[in-house]
Amino acid sequence: MHIPKNYREEDHAKVVAFLKENGFPALVSYDGNGLTATHLPVEVIENPNGSLTILGHMSRANPQWKSFGEQEVLLIFQGPHTYISPRWYNHVNVPTWNYINVHVYGKIRMLAGEELKGLLGDLVGKHEVNTGYSLDGLPADFVEKEMRGVAGFALEVTRLDAASKLSQNRDDESYASIISHLEE
């Protein structure tokens, strides 16, 4: 991803928080014929050494998981984005777009057994807080059957590119005007 210097986000804590808040990226890989992508829920884990692991799963009916192998894959996390009108500046200019995006690269290791069950349990727990619904409350044979229908994975992050283009290159008056118009 091309990121002009003044839009590159280097703050690791901000990037990790963004990834965790926007946990439905597009996973892009090459299947031997072309690029393929799937949008899916993920869990972002910050390891004690500061590295990142991203856990996720997709339906085994989706053939994309068969292509992972040793190739590098790309996860595209997209945050808020919006059109910025040139009428909001205090000078003549052109329209633009503000956005926050992070591209994450790495290689995938497939998950099975207790690792996969742990991931699925964590995802259900995260989204079913205070509902009483959990994998532990379901019949074990049902959970095992459903687990056979998913391909779980762990992606060890090898590189990430974070862009935060939020009109930070504008003068104070134009910046305040942009904020005011967006709040309207």
Side-chain angles (χ1 to χ4, degrees):
M1 169 168 60
H2 169 72
I3 307 172
K5 184 179 178 179
N6 55 333
Y7 301 138
R8 182 169 291 281
E9 180 57 67
E10 301 283 356
D11 185 322
H12 182 75
K14 279 185 181 178
V15 173
V16 171
F18 173 84
L19 295 174
K20 289 182 177 186
E21 291 168 8
N22 294 279
F24 195 70
L27 171 60
V28 182
S29 63
Y30 180 73
D31 69 3
N33 294 314
L35 296 176
T36 185
T38 301
H39 296 264
L40 39 78
V42 298
E43 285 293 308
V44 177
I45 309 298
E46 189 168 14
N47 301 309
N49 66 359
S51 68
L52 299 175
T53 301
I54 299 179
L55 305 173
H57 72 289
M58 66 178 56
S59 170
R60 283 196 179 272
N62 179 343
Q64 184 181 8
W65 70 270
K66 296 175 186 176
S67 72
F68 295 153
E70 292 297 314
Q71 72 170 298
E72 181 178 65
V73 300
L74 167 64
L75 282 166
I76 300 173
F77 290 78
Q78 184 170 332
H81 59 92
T82 191
Y83 175 82
I84 303 298
S85 172
R87 296 174 297 113
W88 302 345
Y89 302 138
N90 60 6
H91 58 280
V92 175
N93 211 310
V94 297
T96 191
W97 204 268
N98 277 2
Y99 58 87
I100 301 174
N101 289 328
V102 177
H103 287 189
V104 175
Y105 303 85
K107 292 186 179 179
I108 285 183
R109 174 178 62 83
M110 300 306 292
L111 302 178
E114 290 303 312
E115 253 188 325
L116 177 57
K117 187 175 183 181
L119 165 62
L120 298 174
D122 289 347
L123 283 170
V124 168
K126 176 181 178 179
H127 298 285
E128 291 289 341
V129 174
N130 300 321
T131 69
Y133 185 91
S134 72
L135 290 190
D136 294 335
L138 299 172
D141 59 333
F142 174 79
V143 172
E144 292 298 322
K145 177 181 171 265
E146 293 300 313
M147 283 177 50
R148 287 191 294 274
V150 299
F153 64 85
L155 180 140
E156 300 301 329
V157 176
T158 56
R159 176 171 58 106
L160 60 80
D161 291 321
S164 181
K165 182 184 177 292
L166 301 173
S167 298
Q168 63 267 49
N169 61 328
R170 301 295 169 197
D171 61 75
D172 291 345
E173 183 182 342
S174 292
Y175 190 78
S177 174
I178 291 165
I179 291 170
S180 174
H181 281 89
L182 291 174
E183 286 175 342
E184 287 177 9

